[in-house]
Amino acid sequence: MAADVLVRVDRDQAFAAAALDAEIARSPQLAPRDRALATELAYGSLRVRRWLESRLLRHATRPLEKLDPRVRVHLVLAAFQLFFLERVPKFAAVSEAVSAVRAVNGPKVAAFANAILRKLAREAEAEGASLDLEAIAVESAPPWLFSTLAGSLGDVGARAYLRAALAAPPNGICVYAANMRDAWLARLREAAPQGEFEPGPLSPHAIRARAAGRLHDLPGFAEGAWTSQEEGSQVIALALGARAGDVVLDACAGRGNKTALLASAVGTGAVDAADLHPSKLARLREELTRLARAPRATYAVDWSVGAGAVEGRYHRILVDAPCSGTGTLGRRPDLYLRRAPEDLARLSALQVAIVERTADLLEPGGRLVYAVCSVLREEGEQVIEKILAARPDLELGPFEGQPAADLANGESMLRLLPHVHGTDGYFLASLVKRPATC
């Protein structure tokens, strides 16, 4: 299953999460432990793939890219098990990979794989726990990404950031009624005693879950008491400071997790949701109706060309803009293969355009929060600089919503970091529209 996922990532540029979900769906008989192992194999090998391939190349007599794609991924998966999965016997990792290669390319290529992996197994045995994980993390990142991260976080910060991305992050749960979080913690621990459930330290709605199986199978999800949402994503929605009676626009709503939190906050007010993709909005309406948090209206909008049918004025606007996603490397390690440096200029221009267009809909004195799941200056501070230069009617203003206001310590920009806050990586900025002058 893990090999099928990696082949699809390589050949079809598929998203690893979607490919893995499809593989698991095709094997409903698979035990939870085996599903977890398939996930660890696929995601873990993607996190350190560049390093694994460099170790394989030390012993290969031919370039890896010349091999059949399935042979290549079986070598990568075996190398990952040899160095990183202590519970898998090394002879078993080698044997399974060689058998899989033999089935794909016959005995000659299988002998080639066997020779490489036996040497690698001896190295892994000798190195044991002495692996320098920080160095592995840096080598596993494309050089352009490390240099860009260093320009944003400093060399030490970039290394810590990439080191944190080697670990599988917790799954997030958002309990809509914050005062019921402790009660749901108790219920979830009882329902899934093998799992780990802890209150999120940042969002009052957040629970962090590990080894809990499929979250959607746990009590409370079907009833709409909570949904799966990463804690940093919750912080973004709360940063807008939406209050009862506000009219709010979620300009890039996606699946609607933030829309639902905003709808909970405004009470008798209203939340409109917009997105480029009508199919996402259809799912959003269906899901939020089930949760009794339906938006007032939804709009399919391409903000890069205009506001479409969105009209009126909003007290608050959330722009969770399309971005490189490099804040989610631990959760989406296929981004190491998917992103290129030229993406940043294109995305930056799009981010500026979206904020400029949505700012036209913000009433004087209103607040706009810009957010991206990226920690890069090219999508953070540099975007804000361009916006302020183009829109003199906007200015930075301290966050009103908690916990962002406390985390930012009175500043108007905030960066959430996995190695500091335990969340995915994000950049947020709080903008206020100046009152109209006579």
Side-chain angles (χ1 to χ4, degrees):
M1 288 178 69
D4 288 341
V5 171
L6 296 192
V7 168
R8 287 207 56 209
V9 169
D10 285 352
R11 184 192 63 203
D12 306 331
Q13 301 250 299
F15 290 100
L20 182 61
D21 286 347
E23 291 299 327
I24 289 174
R26 277 196 284 270
S27 303
Q29 78 285 355
L30 208 62
R33 287 182 63 183
D34 288 330
R35 289 200 297 268
L37 179 57
T39 301
E40 187 170 16
L41 287 169
Y43 280 37
S45 61
L46 282 169
R47 291 185 183 105
V48 292
R49 182 159 180 176
R50 287 171 58 89
W51 183 84
L52 294 172
E53 290 184 343
S54 73
R55 296 302 294 258
L56 288 163
L57 277 170
R58 291 183 183 182
H59 308 293
T61 56
R62 67 186 82 172
L64 295 183
E65 60 268 18
K66 296 291 183 67
L67 298 173
D68 181 291
R70 290 192 66 82
V71 171
R72 187 165 65 247
V73 300
H74 278 298
L75 290 174
V76 166
L77 287 168
F80 175 70
Q81 293 171 82
L82 291 172
F83 283 102
F84 295 99
L85 296 191
E86 295 179 357
R87 290 175 296 170
V88 177
K90 289 178 171 45
F91 75 86
V94 173
S95 176
E96 289 294 321
V98 171
S99 297
V101 169
R102 183 181 294 111
V104 174
N105 271 93
K108 188 174 181 179
V109 180
F112 163 79
N114 185 58
I116 292 176
L117 293 177
R118 282 183 178 276
K119 292 175 182 176
L120 214 58
R122 289 194 289 270
E123 290 181 1
E125 188 70 47
E127 294 179 32
S130 64
L131 289 174
D132 185 342
L133 293 180
E134 184 179 281
I136 290 172
V138 171
E139 187 176 341
S140 298
W144 75 266
L145 179 57
F146 176 75
S147 62
T148 309
L149 282 168
S152 303
L153 307 177
D155 185 81
V156 172
R159 291 175 180 276
Y161 183 83
L162 291 171
R163 170 66 181 86
L166 292 186
N171 291 315
I173 288 173
C174 176
V175 180
Y176 290 118
N179 62 344
M180 293 296 294
R181 181 173 67 170
D182 288 348
W184 279 110
L185 268 169
R187 285 195 60 182
L188 293 170
R189 286 167 175 162
E190 181 181 3
Q194 82 287 355
E196 299 175 13
F197 299 92
E198 299 296 336
L202 303 182
S203 166
H205 301 268
I207 294 174
R208 295 181 178 182
R210 293 184 182 275
R214 278 172 42 90
L215 293 185
H216 294 187
D217 293 337
L218 296 175
F221 177 80
E223 303 95 297
W226 56 264
T227 193
S228 56
Q229 184 181 15
E230 193 270 334
E231 186 171 14
S233 172
Q234 298 175 37
V235 172
I236 289 174
L238 297 172
L240 192 61
R243 298 173 294 203
D246 279 347
V247 178
V248 175
L249 173 65
D250 188 355
C252 305
R255 294 185 303 149
N257 281 341
K258 299 180 188 71
T259 316
L261 260 182
L262 294 170
S264 299
V266 301
T268 57
V271 177
D272 293 343
D275 198 86
L276 175 63
H277 304 286
S279 59
K280 288 186 179 180
L281 290 171
R283 292 197 296 271
L284 178 152
R285 285 193 299 270
E286 181 180 344
E287 180 62 11
L288 268 64
T289 297
R290 183 182 74 83
L291 298 175
R293 289 172 175 82
R296 180 181 67 175
T298 58
Y299 300 96
V301 181
D302 182 351
W303 294 110
S304 68
V305 297
V310 187
E311 297 178 343
R313 287 289 180 268
Y314 293 92
H315 300 110
R316 298 174 192 267
I317 295 176
L318 176 62
V319 176
D320 183 12
C323 68
S324 65
T326 48
T328 63
L329 290 173
R331 208 174 298 277
R332 299 170 61 198
D334 46 316
L335 288 171
Y336 282 122
L337 309 175
R338 188 181 302 280
R339 287 299 179 206
E342 55 268 24
D343 291 337
L344 298 181
R346 173 181 57 82
L347 289 164
S348 172
L350 176 60
Q351 291 151 5
V352 171
I354 293 174
V355 174
E356 284 201 64
R357 296 263 159 65
T358 54
D360 289 337
L361 304 167
L362 189 64
E363 71 171 18
R367 184 173 300 271
L368 185 152
V369 166
Y370 166 80
V372 283
C373 51
S374 167
V375 297
L376 304 179
R377 287 185 59 85
E378 288 80 355
E379 300 179 274
E381 289 90 344
Q382 291 180 15
V383 167
I384 297 303
E385 290 169 6
K386 294 173 185 175
I387 290 167
L388 294 177
R391 293 295 301 246
D393 58 335
L394 295 178
E395 61 184 355
L396 288 166
F399 292 96
E400 287 188 334
Q402 296 292 0
D406 282 345
L407 292 170
N409 196 28
E411 298 295 324
S412 304
M413 292 186 279
L414 170 65
R415 196 175 260 107
L416 297 178
L417 298 167
H419 57 287
V420 176
H421 304 101
T423 64
D424 288 352
Y426 297 95
F427 173 87
L428 298 77
S430 175
L431 297 163
V432 177
K433 195 168 191 177
R434 290 189 173 98
T437 57
C438 298

